[in-house]
Amino acid sequence: MTEDLERRYRIEKILPGGYGLCRDDDGVILVDLAAPGDLVELGEIRRRKGVRRGSIIRIIEPGPGRVEPPCGLYGVCGGCDLQHLSYETQLEAKTEILKDSLIRQGGFSPDDPLLHDLAVVGCPPWESRNRFQFHMTGEGPALMRRGSRQTVRVESCPVADQAIGPFLNSGWRDLPRRMTRPGERMPLFAAGGKLHAGEGELELVVAGKTLRFDVRGFFQSNLAALESMAKYIIALLPTVEGVGRSALDIYCGVGLFGALLPPSYGTVHAVEINSRSLDYARENIGPRGRFFAGPVDRWVARQNGQTLGNLDLGIVDPPRTGLDKSLRLFLTKLRVPTLIYVSCDPVTLSRDLAELRSSYRVLSIRGFDLSPQTHHLETVVKLEAIGE
């Protein structure tokens, strides 16, 4: 009986990465597929890379937000990690993840009014993912197994856009053999009830702007949530008079945000390391773009003595690693009047804000759930330069 009691743990909250947190006398334990408030029995607790981890072998008392996952592959497929939480609980957990990161890594006070008003905007929790990349096997499309380098055959997916369902079942057999050979990667994008598989260009309208990109390249995977986030960003843009103003679009991808800027921004300095994405950015942003193909640190190095014009705005949308160190330093010195940071990782966002706040004041923070049923989270932060 004593041994059983020693194996019982109460899950306190969800951490970045989607793990539940509990504690014992030796410190923190990370638990996979846990829910806040769960009382669980854990198996052997193992330390890997300095982190203690445990797996649930029995749920003694489920937390108030725990639900039955609708997907039969949940826990086997590595695509989702929060299906066992109600969607309301998912949004609450993501809000707390963002808030906790801003306090721990960003140096924000727990009493900061920005944190009191913090919210994560939700979206349809099912059938809302438009973009996938599947691994083709002899039996059909597959995704990676959870915690493994092996794959698992996927015949249906509750988070996928409805147009993807027939492809997963048997529609993949109608594609050319060269695209479905075992070992091939199969990128998909579903929009407007149509499925684009394997290759080809797409044309979509986001916040009133027509954009083109390649199905094999990166584009946000949730169009409904992207529309909401894009309109929010447009509303954050500063009002500028006249024409001839300039803006930065760093880590621009296919030029989504640069393309959404109003005509008063006659020059958009767009930086992107992926040359194929930058080709589409040239098309989407148009002749007002000043394009740089290469890593951000190389672009920063070239700015010594260069003029960026009447700069009013900077938009940065980095990968999960956050802003390049050279760019953080450059922005703190540049003090662009308005800076909008679009982040896909709350921890690296918070780290970057800790440095940027020496030169900028944070005006607003809002989260957007572009990846329901997973721990992933987009955040939009508006900053304004502080005078010297």
Side-chain angles (χ1 to χ4, degrees), residues 311-388:
L311 188 64
D312 287 291
L313 172 69
I315 301 179
V316 293
D317 183 12
R320 288 194 178 94
T321 51
L323 300 180
D324 184 89
K325 184 177 181 180
S326 65
L327 181 60
R328 295 200 302 268
L329 180 60
F330 177 74
L331 290 172
T332 57
K333 293 180 177 180
L334 184 64
R335 282 185 163 87
V336 58
T338 299
L339 180 63
I340 296 176
Y341 190 142
V342 183
S343 166
C344 60
D345 187 284
V347 174
T348 56
L349 165 68
S350 300
R351 176 207 66 195
D352 293 343
L353 290 180
E355 187 168 340
L356 292 173
R357 288 169 72 201
S358 65
S359 299
Y360 296 86
R361 180 182 300 108
V362 178
L363 299 183
S364 63
I365 307 171
R366 184 170 296 182
F368 289 86
D369 190 15
L370 271 67
S371 301
Q373 316 308 326
T374 81
H375 68 273
H376 297 295
L377 170 68
E378 298 282 325
T379 308
V380 178
V381 181
K382 182 178 181 180
L383 307 95
E384 68 172 5
I386 301 171
E388 299 259 11

Side-chain angles (χ1 to χ4, degrees), residues 48-342:
R48 290 183 297 184
K49 298 181 180 180
V51 178
R52 300 170 72 226
R53 300 179 186 273
S55 296
I56 297 173
I57 60 175
R58 183 165 67 102
I59 299 173
I60 301 167
E61 179 184 307
R66 180 176 279 279
V67 297
E68 187 66 24
C71 180
L73 288 177
Y74 185 63
V76 178
C77 170
C80 296
D81 54 12
L82 294 184
Q83 276 193 29
H84 62 286
L85 303 182
S86 71
Y87 192 52
E88 179 183 3
T89 303
Q90 290 182 37
L91 294 179
E92 291 173 353
K94 293 185 181 188
T95 301
E96 290 305 309
I97 286 171
L98 179 55
K99 184 182 297 184
D100 193 56
S101 298
L102 291 167
I103 293 170
R104 291 178 179 273
Q105 283 82 29
F108 283 73
S109 167
D111 299 322
D112 193 312
L114 288 171
L115 302 191
H116 290 173
D117 299 332
L118 201 59
V120 175
V121 179
C123 71
W126 305 106
E127 298 182 340
S128 60
R129 178 162 178 163
N130 302 88
R131 182 176 67 87
F132 277 85
Q133 180 169 260
F134 289 96
H135 301 264
M136 298 307 297
T137 71
E139 290 75 38
L143 291 173
M144 299 303 295
R145 287 181 174 270
R146 187 170 187 83
S148 169
R149 294 184 179 180
Q150 303 300 313
T151 60
V152 57
R153 172 74 171 96
V154 178
E155 296 183 357
S156 64
C157 178
V159 302
D161 183 279
Q162 288 186 355
I164 295 175
F167 168 86
L168 294 177
N169 188 3
S170 60
W172 60 275
R173 299 179 185 276
D174 298 329
L175 294 176
R177 172 62 180 164
R178 62 179 174 81
M179 299 173 65
T180 61
R181 288 191 298 261
E184 293 291 326
R185 297 288 185 93
M186 176 59 65
L188 300 180
F189 205 101
K194 297 182 179 180
L195 180 65
H196 304 265
E199 57 190 21
E201 292 184 340
L202 286 81
E203 191 172 278
L204 297 175
V205 177
V206 178
K209 178 68 179 180
T210 300
L211 301 165
R212 294 184 68 211
F213 62 97
D214 193 305
V215 69
R216 294 164 294 186
F218 176 79
F219 198 81
Q220 288 289 2
S221 61
N222 188 317
L223 292 181
L226 176 62
E227 181 79 7
S228 176
M229 187 175 76
K231 289 180 177 178
Y232 175 77
I233 290 173
I234 291 172
L236 293 179
L237 298 178
T239 301
V240 294
E241 298 181 358
V243 295
R245 315 306 296 180
S246 65
L248 303 177
D249 187 3
I250 313 296
Y251 309 98
C252 73
V254 299
L256 166 65
F257 298 123
L260 294 177
L261 296 179
S264 52
Y265 292 97
T267 303
V268 179
H269 299 274
V271 181
E272 172 58 41
I273 192 171
N274 186 291
S275 59
R276 184 59 175 151
S277 293
L278 198 64
D279 287 341
Y280 283 100
R282 288 188 174 95
E283 184 174 349
N284 292 326
I285 295 175
R288 60 178 172 166
R290 303 293 181 267
F291 301 99
F292 182 86
V296 166
D297 60 345
R298 192 182 304 166
W299 177 82
V300 169
R302 292 192 179 189
Q303 299 317 300
N304 186 26
Q306 300 292 319
T307 177
L308 294 171
N310 299 314
L311 188 64
D312 287 291
L313 172 69
I315 301 179
V316 293
D317 183 12
R320 288 194 178 94
T321 51
L323 300 180
D324 184 89
K325 184 177 181 180
S326 65
L327 181 60
R328 295 200 302 268
L329 180 60
F330 177 74
L331 290 172
T332 57
K333 293 180 177 180
L334 184 64
R335 282 185 163 87
V336 58
T338 299
L339 180 63
I340 296 176
Y341 190 142
V342 183

